[in-house]
Amino acid sequence: MSPSRRYPETGVFYRALDREFPMIVRGEGCWLVDDKGRRYLDACGGAYVANLGHGVSEVADAVAEQVRRVAYVNGTAFTNEPAEELAAELRTLNPKGLDYAYFLSSGSEAVEAALKLARQYWVESGKPGKHKVIARAPGYHGNTLLALSASARGHYKKLFGPWLVPVTMIPAPYPYRCAPDSGAMTAQALEDAILKEGADTVAAFIAEPVSGSSTGGSVPPPDYFKRVRQICDKHSVLFVADEVLCGAGRTGKWTAGEHFDAAPDIMTLGKGLSGGYVPLSAVVTRKKIIDPIANGSGSLKHAQTFSHSPAICAAGLAAVRHIKKHGLVQRSADMGAVLHRKLRALLELPSVGDVRGLGLLAGIEFVADKKTKAPFPRSLKFAESFVSAALDAGLVVWPNVGHADGENGDLVMVAPPFTVSESEIDEIVARFKTALEACHVRR
Ligand SMILES: Cc1ncc(COP(=O)(O)O)c(C=O)c1O
């Protein structure tokens, strides 16, 4: 048996059991403040969530007012004003035809429900043989069992293998590590997989339009999703765009798919949709997907107690209206350009192999050898030690590991609130350098 790890005996079952956590008591814009008064620059908006910045009182007031009026109603018996108004706001923002939103709480729930919707659509359209899902590696879509099955995260999946369903994986476009004419970059890998599985058996292809942590903000070639759309149409496969991380303005457009002009059949939103003020996600789809269900069984078979909750939708409504009122999607594009210009300076530093991304979504990949792009061996835990050094420097970033070859690979993500200023971006870069120096000294 390994020696027992140290964790505080407070009654909280912590996210990590090998250390103590600072206690955050307040958030203001891009900053978090702990109980000792120490300030942290939240350079990833938590987990790409705090898109509006911390401490926006408009959103807090809207939630408080709704909770006083009515916090919860049974979604199978009633509708409510915040859900109706939020759906109407989303219609003005989402790509044309993606008009119907089914509200849930987490990104994993939204992915789970989106894939079930795809399956239910085919069954109720008279094609019950279509059940298979195709996803990409590297890729991540959540931690509930269907979403995890569609994710290429070996270290999350290992324990639960016997419970996961088979999902066909194709390589994701990853310009830093893929040849431009490879099937991964041209989307030919998708067509090959559909033909191999048999189009009559394939229900859906799921992909992030701009990849979040999995390939560290890698942007696909401009024609990739046009080709995906053509392949899906040709073989009657639904295209599910997972916009949980890259949507809601993160890449400088409301949805990342708009950069590539390839509208999905089903889309998920989450994380920044409520700016993190409450857990809110959504499955968004088209009339043509809902109609066979409306004319058939009459409901999506994915009942959850808190779906369409007034309190939760009120936060989402206030957040979306705040984003519109303050032009924050355009700000994400504008400040994103500043962020990427300034982050390029990091390429001069030892171990920084690549810097990429779109809008206020950036990935910085660390490598052992810049020429060969060889990753550090996983045993070095480079990303983890960088994140720890960054926290010591008062900088919060988000790590990812394993993307280079399924096991090795270290990167960190920078995705600050859309309100980030140019001087705060300078501060992110300065603290990043400090953390990297400290990281090299410790090794
Ligand atoms: C692309 C993507 N989809 C789905 C999820 C799952 O969302 P959640 O953690 O809210 O369940 C995540 C989480 O990081 C994500 O990045």
mmCIF file with all atom_site columns, all heavy atoms in Angstrom, residues 375-393:
data_model
loop_
_atom_site.group_PDB
_atom_site.id
_atom_site.type_symbol
_atom_site.label_atom_id
_atom_site.label_alt_id
_atom_site.label_comp_id
_atom_site.label_asym_id
_atom_site.label_entity_id
_atom_site.label_seq_id
_atom_site.pdbx_PDB_ins_code
_atom_site.Cartn_x
_atom_site.Cartn_y
_atom_site.Cartn_z
_atom_site.occupancy
_atom_site.B_iso_or_equiv
_atom_site.pdbx_formal_charge
_atom_site.auth_seq_id
_atom_site.auth_comp_id
_atom_site.auth_asym_id
_atom_site.auth_atom_id
_atom_site.pdbx_PDB_model_num
ATOM 1   N N   . PRO A 1 375 ? 8.243  15.543 -27.053 1.00 0.00 ? 375 PRO A N   1
ATOM 2   C CA  . PRO A 1 375 ? 7.672  15.982 -25.775 1.00 0.00 ? 375 PRO A CA  1
ATOM 3   C C   . PRO A 1 375 ? 8.553  15.565 -24.603 1.00 0.00 ? 375 PRO A C   1
ATOM 4   O O   . PRO A 1 375 ? 9.422  14.704 -24.748 1.00 0.00 ? 375 PRO A O   1
ATOM 5   C CB  . PRO A 1 375 ? 6.333  15.239 -25.721 1.00 0.00 ? 375 PRO A CB  1
ATOM 6   C CG  . PRO A 1 375 ? 6.534  14.016 -26.561 1.00 0.00 ? 375 PRO A CG  1
ATOM 7   C CD  . PRO A 1 375 ? 7.532  14.389 -27.626 1.00 0.00 ? 375 PRO A CD  1
ATOM 8   N N   . PHE A 1 376 ? 8.320  16.171 -23.449 1.00 0.00 ? 376 PHE A N   1
ATOM 9   C CA  . PHE A 1 376 ? 8.963  15.685 -22.218 1.00 0.00 ? 376 PHE A CA  1
ATOM 10  C C   . PHE A 1 376 ? 8.370  14.330 -21.868 1.00 0.00 ? 376 PHE A C   1
ATOM 11  O O   . PHE A 1 376 ? 7.193  14.086 -22.144 1.00 0.00 ? 376 PHE A O   1
ATOM 12  C CB  . PHE A 1 376 ? 8.663  16.641 -21.054 1.00 0.00 ? 376 PHE A CB  1
ATOM 13  C CG  . PHE A 1 376 ? 9.397  17.945 -21.150 1.00 0.00 ? 376 PHE A CG  1
ATOM 14  C CD1 . PHE A 1 376 ? 8.708  19.115 -21.459 1.00 0.00 ? 376 PHE A CD1 1
ATOM 15  C CD2 . PHE A 1 376 ? 10.754 18.028 -20.924 1.00 0.00 ? 376 PHE A CD2 1
ATOM 16  C CE1 . PHE A 1 376 ? 9.371  20.324 -21.547 1.00 0.00 ? 376 PHE A CE1 1
ATOM 17  C CE2 . PHE A 1 376 ? 11.436 19.232 -21.015 1.00 0.00 ? 376 PHE A CE2 1
ATOM 18  C CZ  . PHE A 1 376 ? 10.738 20.388 -21.329 1.00 0.00 ? 376 PHE A CZ  1
ATOM 19  N N   . PRO A 1 377 ? 9.182  13.447 -21.239 1.00 0.00 ? 377 PRO A N   1
ATOM 20  C CA  . PRO A 1 377 ? 8.559  12.204 -20.763 1.00 0.00 ? 377 PRO A CA  1
ATOM 21  C C   . PRO A 1 377 ? 7.515  12.532 -19.697 1.00 0.00 ? 377 PRO A C   1
ATOM 22  O O   . PRO A 1 377 ? 7.704  13.461 -18.909 1.00 0.00 ? 377 PRO A O   1
ATOM 23  C CB  . PRO A 1 377 ? 9.729  11.418 -20.157 1.00 0.00 ? 377 PRO A CB  1
ATOM 24  C CG  . PRO A 1 377 ? 10.870 12.357 -20.079 1.00 0.00 ? 377 PRO A CG  1
ATOM 25  C CD  . PRO A 1 377 ? 10.591 13.541 -20.932 1.00 0.00 ? 377 PRO A CD  1
ATOM 26  N N   . ARG A 1 378 ? 6.412  11.820 -19.711 1.00 0.00 ? 378 ARG A N   1
ATOM 27  C CA  . ARG A 1 378 ? 5.305  12.104 -18.798 1.00 0.00 ? 378 ARG A CA  1
ATOM 28  C C   . ARG A 1 378 ? 5.766  12.076 -17.335 1.00 0.00 ? 378 ARG A C   1
ATOM 29  O O   . ARG A 1 378 ? 5.261  12.795 -16.474 1.00 0.00 ? 378 ARG A O   1
ATOM 30  C CB  . ARG A 1 378 ? 4.176  11.091 -19.051 1.00 0.00 ? 378 ARG A CB  1
ATOM 31  C CG  . ARG A 1 378 ? 2.850  11.358 -18.344 1.00 0.00 ? 378 ARG A CG  1
ATOM 32  C CD  . ARG A 1 378 ? 2.061  12.479 -18.998 1.00 0.00 ? 378 ARG A CD  1
ATOM 33  N NE  . ARG A 1 378 ? 2.580  13.807 -18.756 1.00 0.00 ? 378 ARG A NE  1
ATOM 34  C CZ  . ARG A 1 378 ? 2.310  14.565 -17.676 1.00 0.00 ? 378 ARG A CZ  1
ATOM 35  N NH1 . ARG A 1 378 ? 1.557  14.104 -16.735 1.00 0.00 ? 378 ARG A NH1 1
ATOM 36  N NH2 . ARG A 1 378 ? 2.812  15.768 -17.545 1.00 0.00 ? 378 ARG A NH2 1
ATOM 37  N N   . SER A 1 379 ? 6.779  11.209 -17.060 1.00 0.00 ? 379 SER A N   1
ATOM 38  C CA  . SER A 1 379 ? 7.238  11.066 -15.673 1.00 0.00 ? 379 SER A CA  1
ATOM 39  C C   . SER A 1 379 ? 7.737  12.397 -15.102 1.00 0.00 ? 379 SER A C   1
ATOM 40  O O   . SER A 1 379 ? 7.759  12.595 -13.889 1.00 0.00 ? 379 SER A O   1
ATOM 41  C CB  . SER A 1 379 ? 8.332  10.009 -15.598 1.00 0.00 ? 379 SER A CB  1
ATOM 42  O OG  . SER A 1 379 ? 9.346  10.349 -16.525 1.00 0.00 ? 379 SER A OG  1
ATOM 43  N N   . LEU A 1 380 ? 8.148  13.346 -15.972 1.00 0.00 ? 380 LEU A N   1
ATOM 44  C CA  . LEU A 1 380 ? 8.637  14.647 -15.479 1.00 0.00 ? 380 LEU A CA  1
ATOM 45  C C   . LEU A 1 380 ? 7.525  15.549 -14.972 1.00 0.00 ? 380 LEU A C   1
ATOM 46  O O   . LEU A 1 380 ? 7.773  16.516 -14.245 1.00 0.00 ? 380 LEU A O   1
ATOM 47  C CB  . LEU A 1 380 ? 9.379  15.389 -16.594 1.00 0.00 ? 380 LEU A CB  1
ATOM 48  C CG  . LEU A 1 380 ? 10.851 15.129 -16.773 1.00 0.00 ? 380 LEU A CG  1
ATOM 49  C CD1 . LEU A 1 380 ? 11.411 16.094 -17.815 1.00 0.00 ? 380 LEU A CD1 1
ATOM 50  C CD2 . LEU A 1 380 ? 11.617 15.296 -15.459 1.00 0.00 ? 380 LEU A CD2 1
ATOM 51  N N   . LYS A 1 381 ? 6.302  15.273 -15.388 1.00 0.00 ? 381 LYS A N   1
ATOM 52  C CA  . LYS A 1 381 ? 5.133  16.086 -14.990 1.00 0.00 ? 381 LYS A CA  1
ATOM 53  C C   . LYS A 1 381 ? 5.392  17.574 -15.196 1.00 0.00 ? 381 LYS A C   1
ATOM 54  O O   . LYS A 1 381 ? 5.213  18.384 -14.279 1.00 0.00 ? 381 LYS A O   1
ATOM 55  C CB  . LYS A 1 381 ? 4.750  15.796 -13.535 1.00 0.00 ? 381 LYS A CB  1
ATOM 56  C CG  . LYS A 1 381 ? 4.290  14.377 -13.322 1.00 0.00 ? 381 LYS A CG  1
ATOM 57  C CD  . LYS A 1 381 ? 3.583  14.204 -12.004 1.00 0.00 ? 381 LYS A CD  1
ATOM 58  C CE  . LYS A 1 381 ? 2.891  12.853 -12.002 1.00 0.00 ? 381 LYS A CE  1
ATOM 59  N NZ  . LYS A 1 381 ? 1.957  12.606 -11.017 1.00 0.00 ? 381 LYS A NZ  1
ATOM 60  N N   . PHE A 1 382 ? 5.850  17.911 -16.408 1.00 0.00 ? 382 PHE A N   1
ATOM 61  C CA  . PHE A 1 382 ? 6.238  19.294 -16.685 1.00 0.00 ? 382 PHE A CA  1
ATOM 62  C C   . PHE A 1 382 ? 5.057  20.252 -16.546 1.00 0.00 ? 382 PHE A C   1
ATOM 63  O O   . PHE A 1 382 ? 5.165  21.307 -15.921 1.00 0.00 ? 382 PHE A O   1
ATOM 64  C CB  . PHE A 1 382 ? 6.854  19.395 -18.089 1.00 0.00 ? 382 PHE A CB  1
ATOM 65  C CG  . PHE A 1 382 ? 7.562  20.703 -18.321 1.00 0.00 ? 382 PHE A CG  1
ATOM 66  C CD1 . PHE A 1 382 ? 8.909  20.831 -18.063 1.00 0.00 ? 382 PHE A CD1 1
ATOM 67  C CD2 . PHE A 1 382 ? 6.857  21.826 -18.756 1.00 0.00 ? 382 PHE A CD2 1
ATOM 68  C CE1 . PHE A 1 382 ? 9.567  22.050 -18.247 1.00 0.00 ? 382 PHE A CE1 1
ATOM 69  C CE2 . PHE A 1 382 ? 7.496  23.044 -18.946 1.00 0.00 ? 382 PHE A CE2 1
ATOM 70  C CZ  . PHE A 1 382 ? 8.860  23.156 -18.689 1.00 0.00 ? 382 PHE A CZ  1
ATOM 71  N N   . ALA A 1 383 ? 3.907  19.889 -17.150 1.00 0.00 ? 383 ALA A N   1
ATOM 72  C CA  . ALA A 1 383 ? 2.750  20.804 -17.097 1.00 0.00 ? 383 ALA A CA  1
ATOM 73  C C   . ALA A 1 383 ? 2.321  21.035 -15.652 1.00 0.00 ? 383 ALA A C   1
ATOM 74  O O   . ALA A 1 383 ? 2.023  22.169 -15.248 1.00 0.00 ? 383 ALA A O   1
ATOM 75  C CB  . ALA A 1 383 ? 1.584  20.245 -17.904 1.00 0.00 ? 383 ALA A CB  1
ATOM 76  N N   . GLU A 1 384 ? 2.318  19.959 -14.864 1.00 0.00 ? 384 GLU A N   1
ATOM 77  C CA  . GLU A 1 384 ? 1.888  20.079 -13.467 1.00 0.00 ? 384 GLU A CA  1
ATOM 78  C C   . GLU A 1 384 ? 2.856  20.979 -12.696 1.00 0.00 ? 384 GLU A C   1
ATOM 79  O O   . GLU A 1 384 ? 2.430  21.829 -11.906 1.00 0.00 ? 384 GLU A O   1
ATOM 80  C CB  . GLU A 1 384 ? 1.846  18.702 -12.787 1.00 0.00 ? 384 GLU A CB  1
ATOM 81  C CG  . GLU A 1 384 ? 0.746  17.785 -13.304 1.00 0.00 ? 384 GLU A CG  1
ATOM 82  C CD  . GLU A 1 384 ? 1.179  16.926 -14.509 1.00 0.00 ? 384 GLU A CD  1
ATOM 83  O OE1 . GLU A 1 384 ? 2.084  17.347 -15.263 1.00 0.00 ? 384 GLU A OE1 1
ATOM 84  O OE2 . GLU A 1 384 ? 0.607  15.840 -14.688 1.00 0.00 ? 384 GLU A OE2 1
ATOM 85  N N   . SER A 1 385 ? 4.176  20.815 -12.945 1.00 0.00 ? 385 SER A N   1
ATOM 86  C CA  . SER A 1 385 ? 5.096  21.667 -12.178 1.00 0.00 ? 385 SER A CA  1
ATOM 87  C C   . SER A 1 385 ? 5.026  23.105 -12.667 1.00 0.00 ? 385 SER A C   1
ATOM 88  O O   . SER A 1 385 ? 5.167  24.037 -11.873 1.00 0.00 ? 385 SER A O   1
ATOM 89  C CB  . SER A 1 385 ? 6.518  21.122 -12.115 1.00 0.00 ? 385 SER A CB  1
ATOM 90  O OG  . SER A 1 385 ? 6.977  20.895 -13.379 1.00 0.00 ? 385 SER A OG  1
ATOM 91  N N   . PHE A 1 386 ? 4.723  23.306 -13.966 1.00 0.00 ? 386 PHE A N   1
ATOM 92  C CA  . PHE A 1 386 ? 4.546  24.692 -14.433 1.00 0.00 ? 386 PHE A CA  1
ATOM 93  C C   . PHE A 1 386 ? 3.336  25.332 -13.749 1.00 0.00 ? 386 PHE A C   1
ATOM 94  O O   . PHE A 1 386 ? 3.399  26.481 -13.288 1.00 0.00 ? 386 PHE A O   1
ATOM 95  C CB  . PHE A 1 386 ? 4.375  24.752 -15.959 1.00 0.00 ? 386 PHE A CB  1
ATOM 96  C CG  . PHE A 1 386 ? 4.155  26.162 -16.424 1.00 0.00 ? 386 PHE A CG  1
ATOM 97  C CD1 . PHE A 1 386 ? 5.236  27.003 -16.657 1.00 0.00 ? 386 PHE A CD1 1
ATOM 98  C CD2 . PHE A 1 386 ? 2.873  26.684 -16.549 1.00 0.00 ? 386 PHE A CD2 1
ATOM 99  C CE1 . PHE A 1 386 ? 5.033  28.343 -17.009 1.00 0.00 ? 386 PHE A CE1 1
ATOM 100 C CE2 . PHE A 1 386 ? 2.665  28.011 -16.914 1.00 0.00 ? 386 PHE A CE2 1
ATOM 101 C CZ  . PHE A 1 386 ? 3.753  28.835 -17.138 1.00 0.00 ? 386 PHE A CZ  1
ATOM 102 N N   . VAL A 1 387 ? 2.225  24.601 -13.690 1.00 0.00 ? 387 VAL A N   1
ATOM 103 C CA  . VAL A 1 387 ? 1.005  25.163 -13.082 1.00 0.00 ? 387 VAL A CA  1
ATOM 104 C C   . VAL A 1 387 ? 1.255  25.524 -11.616 1.00 0.00 ? 387 VAL A C   1
ATOM 105 O O   . VAL A 1 387 ? 0.801  26.573 -11.136 1.00 0.00 ? 387 VAL A O   1
ATOM 106 C CB  . VAL A 1 387 ? -0.171 24.165 -13.223 1.00 0.00 ? 387 VAL A CB  1
ATOM 107 C CG1 . VAL A 1 387 ? -1.357 24.567 -12.360 1.00 0.00 ? 387 VAL A CG1 1
ATOM 108 C CG2 . VAL A 1 387 ? -0.604 24.101 -14.681 1.00 0.00 ? 387 VAL A CG2 1
ATOM 109 N N   . SER A 1 388 ? 2.005  24.685 -10.936 1.00 0.00 ? 388 SER A N   1
ATOM 110 C CA  . SER A 1 388 ? 2.317  24.966 -9.537  1.00 0.00 ? 388 SER A CA  1
ATOM 111 C C   . SER A 1 388 ? 3.219  26.202 -9.411  1.00 0.00 ? 388 SER A C   1
ATOM 112 O O   . SER A 1 388 ? 2.983  27.086 -8.568  1.00 0.00 ? 388 SER A O   1
ATOM 113 C CB  . SER A 1 388 ? 2.960  23.707 -8.945  1.00 0.00 ? 388 SER A CB  1
ATOM 114 O OG  . SER A 1 388 ? 3.672  23.996 -7.816  1.00 0.00 ? 388 SER A OG  1
ATOM 115 N N   . ALA A 1 389 ? 4.218  26.303 -10.308 1.00 0.00 ? 389 ALA A N   1
ATOM 116 C CA  . ALA A 1 389 ? 5.093  27.493 -10.291 1.00 0.00 ? 389 ALA A CA  1
ATOM 117 C C   . ALA A 1 389 ? 4.298  28.742 -10.653 1.00 0.00 ? 389 ALA A C   1
ATOM 118 O O   . ALA A 1 389 ? 4.526  29.833 -10.109 1.00 0.00 ? 389 ALA A O   1
ATOM 119 C CB  . ALA A 1 389 ? 6.256  27.299 -11.272 1.00 0.00 ? 389 ALA A CB  1
ATOM 120 N N   . ALA A 1 390 ? 3.344  28.597 -11.578 1.00 0.00 ? 390 ALA A N   1
ATOM 121 C CA  . ALA A 1 390 ? 2.512  29.743 -11.976 1.00 0.00 ? 390 ALA A CA  1
ATOM 122 C C   . ALA A 1 390 ? 1.661  30.210 -10.786 1.00 0.00 ? 390 ALA A C   1
ATOM 123 O O   . ALA A 1 390 ? 1.553  31.415 -10.519 1.00 0.00 ? 390 ALA A O   1
ATOM 124 C CB  . ALA A 1 390 ? 1.629  29.370 -13.163 1.00 0.00 ? 390 ALA A CB  1
ATOM 125 N N   . LEU A 1 391 ? 1.105  29.254 -10.065 1.00 0.00 ? 391 LEU A N   1
ATOM 126 C CA  . LEU A 1 391 ? 0.278  29.625 -8.900  1.00 0.00 ? 391 LEU A CA  1
ATOM 127 C C   . LEU A 1 391 ? 1.129  30.374 -7.873  1.00 0.00 ? 391 LEU A C   1
ATOM 128 O O   . LEU A 1 391 ? 0.683  31.369 -7.290  1.00 0.00 ? 391 LEU A O   1
ATOM 129 C CB  . LEU A 1 391 ? -0.345 28.369 -8.290  1.00 0.00 ? 391 LEU A CB  1
ATOM 130 C CG  . LEU A 1 391 ? -1.626 28.586 -7.489  1.00 0.00 ? 391 LEU A CG  1
ATOM 131 C CD1 . LEU A 1 391 ? -2.732 29.177 -8.361  1.00 0.00 ? 391 LEU A CD1 1
ATOM 132 C CD2 . LEU A 1 391 ? -2.114 27.278 -6.874  1.00 0.00 ? 391 LEU A CD2 1
ATOM 133 N N   . ASP A 1 392 ? 2.368  29.913 -7.693  1.00 0.00 ? 392 ASP A N   1
ATOM 134 C CA  . ASP A 1 392 ? 3.287  30.625 -6.789  1.00 0.00 ? 392 ASP A CA  1
ATOM 135 C C   . ASP A 1 392 ? 3.521  32.056 -7.273  1.00 0.00 ? 392 ASP A C   1
ATOM 136 O O   . ASP A 1 392 ? 3.753  32.965 -6.470  1.00 0.00 ? 392 ASP A O   1
ATOM 137 C CB  . ASP A 1 392 ? 4.646  29.908 -6.697  1.00 0.00 ? 392 ASP A CB  1
ATOM 138 C CG  . ASP A 1 392 ? 4.536  28.586 -5.962  1.00 0.00 ? 392 ASP A CG  1
ATOM 139 O OD1 . ASP A 1 392 ? 3.494  28.358 -5.300  1.00 0.00 ? 392 ASP A OD1 1
ATOM 140 O OD2 . ASP A 1 392 ? 5.476  27.773 -6.067  1.00 0.00 ? 392 ASP A OD2 1
ATOM 141 N N   . ALA A 1 393 ? 3.475  32.233 -8.624  1.00 0.00 ? 393 ALA A N   1
ATOM 142 C CA  . ALA A 1 393 ? 3.671  33.577 -9.191  1.00 0.00 ? 393 ALA A CA  1
ATOM 143 C C   . ALA A 1 393 ? 2.341  34.344 -9.269  1.00 0.00 ? 393 ALA A C   1
ATOM 144 O O   . ALA A 1 393 ? 2.275  35.409 -9.880  1.00 0.00 ? 393 ALA A O   1
ATOM 145 C CB  . ALA A 1 393 ? 4.309  33.462 -10.578 1.00 0.00 ? 393 ALA A CB  1
#
